[in-house]
Amino acid sequence: MNKKHTPTVAFHTLGCKVNQHDTAIMAALFQDSGYAVVDFHEVADVYVVNTCTVTHLSDRKSRQMLRRAAGENPEAIVVACGCYAQTAAKELEGLDEVDLIIGTNERHRVVEAVEQFAKDHQRQIYLPEKNDLFYYENLPHERVSGMTRAYVKIQEGCNQFCTYCIIPYARGPLRSRSEDDTIEEINGLVAAGYKEVILTGIHIGAYGRGLKDETCDLTGLCRRILDETAIARLRIGSLEGVEVTDDLIEMIATNPRMARQLHLPLQSGCDQTLAAMRRPYDTAAFREMVAAIRARVPDIAITTDIMVGFPGETDEDFQASLAFADEMAFSDMHIFKYSQRDGTPAATMPNQVDPRIKDARAKEMAAVAARNKIAYEEALIGRRVRLLLEEPLGDGRWVGHSSNYLYVTVTGEGLSSGRFVDAVLTGRQEGRLQGELINSDEEE
Ligand code: 5AD
């Protein structure tokens, strides 16, 4: 690497919010070592692609981005890290573009690996030994500034082994970060100007397990964060519906700093499919949970992930799933076409569904999702929301998220990123919610 100029590094992140957090940490490590972070489309000395392997499409996109990185600058060092790098190291070794392969628990060594490669040009694979996966990487990332919302990882790995899912193999067993470390990181983020923290993990409803103090849980952690940090808004990432406690619902109902949103991945609305997936609930339990949440927090946004075309899903099963998803009236749905992941039980189940049927089912599900999203938004028109402004659209227009995760456009003078403003929802334009500012001077 040319040491005369400031070395540059560019990141591309695929997949989930946990990966976003992992990238933020790696960016901070590079910055600490004197690198400047640049856009992925710029010429950089190092490209890091933080990959995903949740479906075969994620694999493909990961490979595409690695090739694109090498195309941006053929001289650059190209690093593949994350879940796809972990599970498919052998496959990636065959890609000439890739110089370094770094597994899910070796991210803290990324700078060291790059500097070593700059010296010896030896392609390397850094994968953890199985036992090392218990180590919890504790790396703060408050030095990456210029953002309004930060993903904070409180937990890593998963022991659930849902039959379709590769993630427990890619990220290892469940382990939790200590409450104190989490609070320290959030205090650092507040000091760096962040206004919203999103708690993430692979199975955050199981937060606390594996800690010395096994009495810790997600609700207790949220309470401590509200008490011991000045973070203006706290959002909880994807969570199993059956792990939502009454105390957590109560906190969301009564504390305005708790975001009024829960992402509860349903995966299927058919009991037979849920059982084959080895999910820890049936539709009756899910329905009951959602009703209890809405009874206490009526305007809450409940969002979900749903899968179509799981092995053995008949037309009838799919219709049941569709009807249940519609009944739940999610304010947003992420729709996944089931993808066979090598090594998972579902990959070898009989009655795999034809890709064309998966496509058709995904479309039908998307129509239900769109209808419910619009219905949720339209029911809130005329209501007052507090927005955290994120980015300008030009012409004085800005967009930001409300507590209940509405993405709203407002227009005004002197607006800036990271500022809270109050607005009244006035309607929808070009598929986007519009708001009118009430008092843009108010800071939180
Ligand atoms: N095929 C398709 N979607 C999957 N997901 C997890 N595994 C698979 C798979 N094999 C989806 C689930 C999960 C989301 C992150 O990815 O819906 O909630």
Side-chain angles (χ1 to χ4, degrees), residues 372-422:
N372 281 301
K373 182 176 174 142
I374 292 173
Y376 177 76
E377 292 183 356
E378 294 202 330
L380 294 171
I381 288 177
R383 295 273 287 270
R384 184 180 172 140
V385 288
R386 170 153 288 196
L387 304 174
L388 174 55
L389 297 181
E390 282 155 39
E391 46 176 357
L393 294 177
D395 321 332
R397 287 183 307 152
W398 280 76
V399 280
H401 278 101
S402 68
S403 171
N404 53 350
Y405 215 56
L406 300 169
Y407 197 53
V408 183
T409 307
V410 289
T411 308
E413 296 284 311
L415 300 178
S416 59
S417 166
R419 182 159 171 191
F420 280 97
V421 294
D422 288 322

Side-chain angles (χ1 to χ4, degrees), residues 112-374:
E112 168 202 327
V114 161
E115 308 241 302
Q116 187 60 40
F117 185 87
K119 276 189 221 135
D120 63 16
H121 289 271
Q122 294 296 310
R123 294 178 79 204
Q124 290 286 350
I125 303 184
Y126 295 79
L127 285 184
E129 298 294 326
K130 268 235 156 12
N131 290 337
D132 285 351
L133 277 173
F134 286 93
Y135 165 70
Y136 188 89
E137 287 176 70
N138 189 25
L139 302 162
H141 65 93
E142 67 267 17
R143 285 150 300 188
V144 186
S145 57
M147 287 184 39
T148 54
R149 309 194 301 149
Y151 299 107
V152 169
K153 186 161 76 176
I154 58 169
Q155 176 280 329
E156 179 59 280
C158 186
N159 297 343
Q160 286 211 122
F161 290 93
C162 298
T163 54
Y164 50 80
C165 191
I166 188 82
I167 302 308
Y169 307 89
R171 287 188 180 262
L174 194 142
R175 54 244 193 244
S176 302
R177 186 171 189 193
S178 82
E179 287 192 347
D180 289 345
D181 286 345
T182 307
I183 283 165
E184 194 183 317
E185 178 175 347
I186 296 175
N187 275 325
L189 289 164
V190 171
Y194 285 84
K195 297 293 165 61
E196 178 174 321
V197 153
I198 303 137
L199 298 181
T200 67
I202 302 300
H203 182 182
I204 64 175
Y207 175 78
R209 275 185 230 160
L211 285 178
K212 274 196 213 100
D213 180 3
E214 283 258 358
T215 59
C216 292
D217 66 4
L218 180 65
T219 310
L221 176 67
C222 289
R223 191 171 295 121
R224 270 196 69 186
I225 293 170
L226 294 176
D227 287 349
E228 297 176 34
T229 80
I231 194 70
R233 192 187 271 170
L234 181 62
R235 195 178 296 279
I236 301 172
S238 187
L239 180 69
E240 292 290 11
V242 286
E243 288 170 343
V244 176
T245 62
D246 290 347
D247 282 355
L248 186 63
I249 301 173
E250 199 53 31
M251 254 163 66
I252 294 172
T254 54
N255 195 316
R257 288 162 67 203
M258 289 296 290
R260 292 164 94 82
Q261 183 207 0
L262 285 172
H263 186 81
L264 311 176
L266 171 65
Q267 310 301 3
S268 169
C270 162
D271 284 332
Q272 236 169 316
T273 310
L274 286 172
M277 290 175 161
R278 212 187 287 148
R279 300 287 294 153
Y281 53 86
D282 59 9
T283 50
F286 196 93
R287 179 186 284 117
E288 204 177 304
M289 176 50 65
V290 165
I293 296 167
R294 287 199 172 123
R296 195 66 189 92
V297 193
D299 62 345
I300 195 168
I302 298 183
T303 53
T304 203
D305 293 347
I306 200 154
M307 219 181 292
V308 298
F310 185 79
E313 186 186 66
T314 62
D315 282 340
E316 216 182 336
D317 293 342
F318 172 67
Q319 288 306 324
S321 191
L322 194 69
F324 187 77
D326 202 14
E327 180 195 331
M328 290 300 100
F330 296 109
S331 59
D332 208 356
M333 293 168 64
H334 298 170
I335 298 158
F336 294 83
K337 291 180 237 180
Y338 169 73
S339 172
Q340 281 173 282
R341 307 281 71 206
D342 281 352
T344 61
T348 49
M349 282 181 184
N351 303 319
Q352 297 285 330
V353 175
D354 186 284
R356 280 163 304 188
I357 294 179
K358 284 185 203 167
D359 285 345
R361 288 182 184 170
K363 278 208 187 93
E364 260 191 271
M365 196 59 93
V368 164
R371 184 152 37 79
N372 281 301
K373 182 176 174 142
I374 292 173

Side-chain angles (χ1 to χ4, degrees), residues 19 50-54 81-88 104 167 170-171:
N19 246 16
N50 198 3
T51 62
C52 172
T53 190
V54 77
C81 61
C83 289
Y84 181 54
Q86 174 77 34
T87 54
T104 47
I167 302 308
R171 287 188 180 262

